[in-house]
Amino acid sequence: MSIAVRVSVWILGLLVVVSAAVAVLALMQKQTLQGQNQTLHNQIADDQTKLADLTTKTKKLEDDADQLNGKITQAQQDKAQIQSQYDDLKHKSDDLQAQIEQANTDRDDWKNRVTTISRERDDLMEKLKNRPTQIIYKDRIVKVRVPVAAPEENSSAPAAPAVDASTAQGDQYWASILKQKAALQVELQKEKSDLDQAALQVVDLKKQNTDLEVELKKVSNEKDEIIQKIKYGQDLADNLSIDVARSRNEEEMVNTRVDKLKEENLALMSQVKDLSSSKLELERTIARLTDNKDAMQKKLIETESVIQSRIDDIWKIKEGLDKKLSENAPSSSTPGSMELPPIIVNAPNNQQSAPPQGQQAVPETVNGHVKQGSIISINETNNFVIVDLGQENSTVSVGNPLMVYRHLKQIATLEVIQVRRDICAADIKDKSEELKVGDAVKIN
């Protein structure tokens, strides 16, 4: 086996090992990426579940917020209605207070009038007590002081008059005084009745005022409670708004994370796709290298068989030549006899079989037989060469002349002395240059 074939086999083995290592590495990376992809899918499913829960909570919070807004609106309407009732009650209370103040003013006026009338009455009674009474006798007029009893304050009938000894003018005067007194008593009784009525009205107004104050206090308490409820509802609505905003922020964060995970998943899927493509390319390369290896091994086996067959032919030629030379050589007892040295045939190799640099060996064929070959071995001692033309691949036969060319220039003439299956031996008849392995040979 030649060095080039061995190097090719080593290179093929190394390529196969490298390809197998790359395939194993790609498979491991693919499994790792598949595990990461599965983890990402699980995370996406968890995030989607959390997103659905957050969406449900957000919807529930929005519904609660709507209900609270409805309650707040109803409470505000109730507050407005209670405020309207409070304003009406306050207006009525103000009117009752004004009426009470007016009644108190009227009462004070009546009290002042009653006091004034009582004072005038006392003055009149004092004047009546101190005024002298004139008694007219036949011969003189006597002034007599007649005590007049003060009338009772609550008495409705006039007091009995004293003995009047006055004249008709005095009777008229007393009659007018009594009439005025009776009128004053009637007016005083009327004023007392009005005062009693006013006092009853004042008591009723005070009672109504007390009831209104109680009701106002109750309304104020209800108003405070409603205000507290509204404040509690507003605080709750604010908290719900904060919770809704937080839920929306969390939802946005989850959406952002899901989008990021999707992008990473797409990138990983792209990497997996690229790795799969690389794996397929590597598998194709491995398959192609395997095919090339098989083909090269097949060619190597064929080449080894061809070389072995040529070596066998060369040994047969060598044996035939040795036998022929031994038959033609004189016996050892003959003086001056000489024994020819053994024929050395060099085994052909890839380097020797290659044409020299610059040689353009174009094989010529006639009826499927090659008419051109090359020198594969030279035996300078016995003056013959081995040519790669034989019975199977050419029409060469014993005695045929052969022409040797180098760079399209004839440099020697040969004569075939023995033919085998793939090679032949030829004597060197004449030459203008030293022959080399690889020189072109044509059948004349």
Side-chain angles (χ1 to χ4, degrees):
M1 185 183 294
S2 64
I3 298 174
V5 174
R6 292 178 181 177
V7 171
S8 301
V9 171
W10 279 102
I11 292 173
L12 284 173
L14 182 61
L15 288 175
V16 170
V17 172
V18 171
S19 301
V22 171
V24 170
L25 181 61
L27 182 62
M28 292 174 64
Q29 289 182 353
K30 181 180 179 182
Q31 291 177 354
T32 304
L33 290 174
Q34 286 178 352
Q36 293 179 357
N37 191 11
Q38 185 66 29
T39 304
L40 288 174
H41 279 299
N42 294 330
Q43 290 180 359
I44 290 171
D46 294 337
D47 291 334
Q48 288 178 353
T49 304
K50 291 180 181 178
L51 180 62
D53 294 337
L54 287 174
T55 305
T56 305
K57 290 181 179 179
T58 304
K59 188 175 181 181
K60 185 177 180 181
L61 288 173
E62 288 178 353
D63 294 336
D64 293 338
D66 293 335
Q67 292 178 1
L68 283 174
N69 288 327
K71 290 181 180 179
I72 289 170
T73 305
Q74 185 66 31
Q76 288 177 353
Q77 293 178 357
D78 295 339
K79 179 183 175 183
Q81 186 177 1
I82 292 170
Q83 186 68 31
S84 177
Q85 293 178 0
Y86 174 77
D87 293 335
D88 294 338
L89 291 174
K90 188 176 180 181
H91 183 67
K92 290 179 180 179
S93 177
D94 293 336
D95 293 339
L96 289 173
Q97 191 67 29
Q99 291 178 6
I100 289 169
E101 290 177 356
Q102 184 66 31
N104 290 328
T105 304
D106 295 337
R107 184 191 63 185
D108 294 335
D109 292 338
W110 285 111
K111 283 182 179 180
N112 292 328
R113 290 178 65 182
V114 167
T115 304
T116 303
I117 292 170
S118 298
R119 190 181 301 115
E120 290 178 355
R121 185 194 65 183
D122 293 337
D123 292 339
L124 290 173
M125 292 299 296
E126 187 65 28
K127 286 179 181 180
L128 287 174
K129 288 179 181 180
N130 295 327
R131 182 178 180 182
T133 303
Q134 293 179 358
I135 300 174
I136 301 173
Y137 292 96
K138 292 181 177 180
D139 55 351
R140 65 180 184 278
I141 296 173
V142 180
K143 294 182 179 181
V144 182
R145 292 183 178 274
V146 179
V148 179
E152 295 181 359
E153 186 175 357
N154 294 327
S155 177
S156 60
V163 178
D164 192 1
S166 61
T167 58
Q169 187 178 359
D171 294 334
Q172 292 178 357
Y173 174 75
W174 283 109
S176 62
I177 291 298
L178 292 174
K179 190 181 291 184
Q180 290 178 1
K181 179 181 177 182
L184 288 173
Q185 288 178 350
V186 172
E187 190 174 357
L188 181 61
Q189 189 67 29
K190 185 178 179 182
E191 291 296 331
K192 285 181 178 182
S193 177
D194 293 337
L195 285 174
D196 295 335
Q197 189 67 27
L200 292 174
Q201 290 180 358
V202 168
V203 171
D204 293 336
L205 290 173
K206 285 183 178 180
K207 186 177 179 181
Q208 292 178 0
N209 191 14
T210 304
D211 295 336
L212 288 174
E213 288 178 355
V214 171
E215 190 172 358
L216 285 174
K217 188 175 181 180
K218 184 177 179 181
V219 170
S220 179
N221 293 329
E222 291 179 354
K223 179 182 178 182
D224 294 335
E225 291 178 358
I226 290 172
I227 290 172
Q228 289 179 358
K229 288 182 180 179
I230 291 171
K231 187 176 179 181
Y232 174 75
Q234 288 178 352
D235 295 336
L236 186 60
D238 294 336
N239 293 328
L240 288 173
S241 299
I242 293 171
D243 292 336
V244 169
R246 188 182 295 111
S247 299
R248 288 178 179 174
N249 292 329
E250 291 178 355
E251 184 178 358
E252 291 178 356
M253 290 175 64
V254 169
N255 289 328
T256 304
R257 187 177 178 185
V258 168
D259 294 336
K260 188 175 179 181
L261 289 174
K262 286 182 179 178
E263 292 177 357
E264 292 178 355
N265 190 14
L266 291 175
L268 289 173
M269 290 176 67
S270 178
Q271 292 179 2
V272 168
K273 188 176 180 180
D274 294 337
L275 288 173
S276 300
S277 300
S278 301
K279 179 185 174 184
L280 291 175
E281 290 293 333
L282 288 172
E283 290 176 351
R284 291 174 183 173
T285 305
I286 291 170
R288 186 169 61 253
L289 290 174
T290 305
D291 295 337
N292 292 334
K293 178 185 174 183
D294 295 337
M296 290 187 70
Q297 287 179 351
K298 187 176 180 181
K299 288 181 179 179
L300 182 62
I301 293 171
E302 293 177 355
T303 304
E304 287 179 350
S305 63
V306 170
I307 291 172
Q308 189 64 37
S309 64
R310 288 187 179 185
I311 289 172
D312 294 339
D313 293 339
I314 289 170
W315 280 108
K316 289 178 180 180
I317 292 171
K318 177 178 175 297
E319 291 175 354
L321 289 174
D322 290 339
K323 185 177 181 182
K324 185 177 180 181
L325 288 173
S326 62
E327 289 176 356
N328 294 330
S331 63
S332 59
S333 61
T334 307
S337 63
M338 181 180 63
E339 184 178 355
L340 292 175
I343 299 172
I344 300 173
V345 179
N346 296 324
N349 53 42
N350 291 337
Q351 294 178 352
Q352 291 176 343
S353 61
Q357 184 177 4
Q359 177 117 15
Q360 297 178 356
V362 180
E364 297 179 1
T365 59
V366 177
N367 296 325
H369 296 287
V370 179
K371 295 187 67 177
Q372 180 176 333
S374 61
I375 297 173
I376 60 176
S377 181
I378 301 173
N379 192 329
E380 295 179 356
T381 304
N382 296 311
N383 195 31
F384 72 90
V385 296
I386 303 299
V387 182
D388 59 351
L389 295 174
Q391 294 176 354
E392 293 184 356
N393 60 1
S394 67
T395 58
V396 67
S397 61
V398 177
N400 288 142
L402 301 175
M403 303 299 176
V404 181
Y405 293 90
R406 183 183 298 162
H407 300 296
L408 303 180
K409 178 183 177 183
Q410 183 177 353
I411 58 173
T413 304
L414 306 176
E415 182 180 355
V416 180
I417 58 176
Q418 195 171 359
V419 180
R420 291 289 182 269
R421 186 179 63 180
D422 294 324
I423 59 175
C424 66
D427 286 333
I428 301 173
K429 295 300 182 180
D430 57 359
K431 61 181 179 179
S432 59
E433 295 182 7
E434 291 294 330
L435 299 181
K436 295 181 180 179
V437 175
D439 289 337
V441 178
K442 280 187 177 183
I443 300 174
N444 193 4

